[in-house]
Amino acid sequence: MASVPDPAVLTAAFPSLPRALKREMRSNHAGELGAVWIYRGVLAVTRDPALRAFAEEHGRTEAAHLAFFEAGLPPAGKTRLAPLWRLMGFGLGCLPALLSPAAVYRTIAAVEAFVDRHYGDQLAALSGQPAFEPLAAVLGQFRAEECAHRDEAQAKGSVRAGGPWAALVFQGSALGAALAKRI
């Protein structure tokens, strides 16, 4: 499993975060939970050894991200829709894996394109605030790891940017993040 940054960074920052950034942390928790289940969905149905290795490796990284939010957020700061994110994540991994490895790689590239923007917006909001530099460093690390997932998926699947499936997955991710900020 990838190493988990010290969740005390989040625990210490959370009480003083502006309300909008507390909601962002809730959406991060939901997103990382969904991501773990995407890879579980892939592993549930694929027999392709290269795709299994990809899902196992990236699933470990997502599990480390989730562990950070699980340990660092107070109960009120976590998503209350965990069963929904598990189900949606599993489906988003399982269904493309039933089609082909290329479908999985397209899906991962689209999800991670959204996550890149999502974490980027949070980093911009934290910029110039010294009290939140340790949290920003962790989120920056997570963003870099998610971008590496996107880039690897694009390379492995010879994925072109765009297309209707990518747009649907990107917009679905955005909708999920918006919902997670509220509930």
Side-chain angles (χ1 to χ4, degrees):
M1 182 166 160
S3 67
V4 178
D6 185 359
V9 168
L10 180 55
T11 303
F14 191 80
S16 13
L17 284 173
R19 185 175 183 188
L21 285 171
K22 286 180 178 179
R23 289 178 172 182
E24 293 289 339
M25 296 308 110
R26 180 180 294 122
S27 72
N28 291 349
H29 177 246
E32 298 299 351
L33 179 61
V36 165
W37 281 86
I38 287 172
Y39 290 111
R40 287 182 181 179
V42 170
L43 290 168
V45 298
T46 191
R47 301 296 174 254
D48 181 279
L51 184 56
R52 290 189 69 77
F54 175 88
E56 288 167 354
E57 176 186 346
H58 294 295
R60 284 189 295 272
T61 303
E62 302 298 355
H65 295 180
L66 177 59
F68 174 80
F69 291 108
E70 286 280 342
L73 286 172
K78 296 177 184 173
T79 182
R80 292 186 299 273
L81 297 175
L84 176 63
W85 307 132
R86 287 183 191 105
L87 178 65
M88 297 300 288
F90 189 82
L92 196 54
C94 172
L95 294 176
L98 288 170
L99 297 175
S100 70
V104 172
Y105 295 132
R106 279 193 296 278
T107 301
I108 297 302
V111 168
E112 300 298 15
F114 169 78
V115 174
D116 176 25
R117 187 178 82 179
H118 184 66
Y119 275 133
D121 290 346
Q122 293 172 23
L123 291 168
L126 292 170
S127 178
Q129 300 186 53
F132 301 130
E133 285 177 4
L135 178 58
V138 172
L139 296 179
Q141 172 193 329
F142 288 0
R143 181 185 189 197
E145 291 168 350
E146 304 289 5
C147 288
H149 294 182
R150 177 201 60 211
D151 296 346
E152 185 177 349
Q154 288 174 333
K156 285 186 176 292
S158 300
V159 176
R160 298 168 311 190
W165 178 246
L168 179 65
V169 170
F170 188 96
Q171 291 305 315
S173 298
L175 179 62
L179 181 60
K181 290 175 192 178
R182 303 272 181 218
I183 303 173

